[in-house]
Amino acid sequence: MKKLILFFLILFLSVGANLQSSSVYICVSPSAKKYHFSKSCSGLQRCTHEISYVSKTAAQNKGYTICLLED
């Protein structure tokens, strides 16, 4: 029974994390390389260009990787 409860807890947490992180913020600049889960991330605050809210997959397809301040 404990294993079953643990399984469902892990499943619930992983599904919740995936739903929460399906969209990210990016700085639309030729030199920008990172995506951010929070618009208030200090790494994103340095952006002097447009900030866009896009899917995580789209950001990754454009070559963006996760901001080290949020990992």
Side-chain angles (χ1 to χ4, degrees):
M1 184 67 171
K2 288 181 182 180
K3 288 183 181 180
L4 185 60
I5 292 172
L6 182 59
F7 170 77
F8 282 112
L9 179 62
I10 291 170
L11 180 65
F12 175 75
L13 292 174
S14 66
V15 168
N18 286 336
L19 290 175
Q20 185 179 23
S21 62
S22 62
S23 295
V24 296
Y25 294 94
I26 61 169
C27 178
V28 184
S29 164
S31 62
K33 306 272 190 252
K34 304 294 180 183
Y35 63 82
H36 312 264
F37 293 112
S38 171
K39 193 170 184 177
S40 63
C41 174
S42 61
L44 189 59
Q45 297 303 309
R46 295 181 229 148
C47 179
T48 59
H49 293 73
E50 178 185 355
I51 296 173
S52 291
Y53 192 60
V54 300
S55 72
K56 181 178 171 183
T57 303
Q60 290 172 331
N61 288 343
K62 292 179 182 183
Y64 288 84
T65 58
I66 189 168
C67 174
L68 297 176
L69 300 173
E70 297 193 62
D71 189 16

